[in-house]
Amino acid sequence: MKIKPYNPDFKLAFEHFCIHAGGRAVLDEVEKNIDLKDWHMEPSRMTLYRFGNTSSSSLWYELAYSEAKGRIRKGDKSMADHFWVRIQVQQCRLEGIENHQSSHGEEPMD
């Protein structure tokens, strides 16, 4: 008998996701395995497109992207995931302390 692994619905606990932009394959697998939508993955994909794999600093670029797009609201929770060699994962929970407006009509990461 094959038992399907339990995958919690992280979208119930977090509004935003900052996934380590280590490559397209990494992002595709995370998106598929935790059932994220394109909207959730946009900050990570745009960071990968604009800056490439910047290791752990990609999480801060992704958070800045979400803030610049006006997505972060007071009380919103963000999950930041970073993957290391040999299957080590670091996670942290970030919470918005104020509302952010989009940056003066400019597109982030131009």
Side-chain angles (χ1 to χ4, degrees):
M1 170 179 19
K2 186 173 183 176
I3 298 174
K4 183 178 177 183
Y6 172 70
N7 287 329
D9 187 356
F10 290 104
K11 296 182 298 294
L12 296 174
F14 299 99
E15 288 80 24
H16 310 282
F17 296 85
C18 298
I19 307 298
H20 167 59
R24 184 176 174 193
V26 170
L27 296 178
D28 290 346
E29 285 300 309
V30 170
E31 179 180 21
K32 180 179 78 175
N33 285 308
I34 61 176
D35 192 31
L36 296 177
K37 306 298 179 210
D38 290 340
W39 186 87
H40 295 114
M41 297 301 296
E42 182 181 326
S44 300
R45 293 193 186 282
M46 289 302 296
T47 296
L48 180 63
Y49 172 77
R50 174 68 175 89
F51 301 105
N53 181 356
T54 59
S55 190
S56 59
S57 66
S58 68
L59 303 177
W60 299 111
Y61 292 124
E62 294 162 27
L63 188 59
Y65 179 89
S66 293
E67 288 179 341
K69 294 283 269 188
R71 293 181 174 190
I72 307 292
R73 300 282 177 241
K74 184 175 183 176
D76 279 2
K77 290 169 236 27
S78 300
M79 181 170 85
D81 285 331
H82 183 73
F83 308 101
W84 291 83
V85 188
R86 298 193 180 136
I87 314 179
Q88 297 176 19
V89 178
Q90 293 181 338
Q91 293 181 324
C92 69
R93 176 185 170 269
L94 306 168
E95 187 169 334
I97 57 173
E98 62 183 47
N99 292 335
H100 288 272
Q101 302 300 319
S102 62
S103 50
H104 311 292
E106 297 176 14
E107 283 298 314
M109 300 191 180
D110 279 345

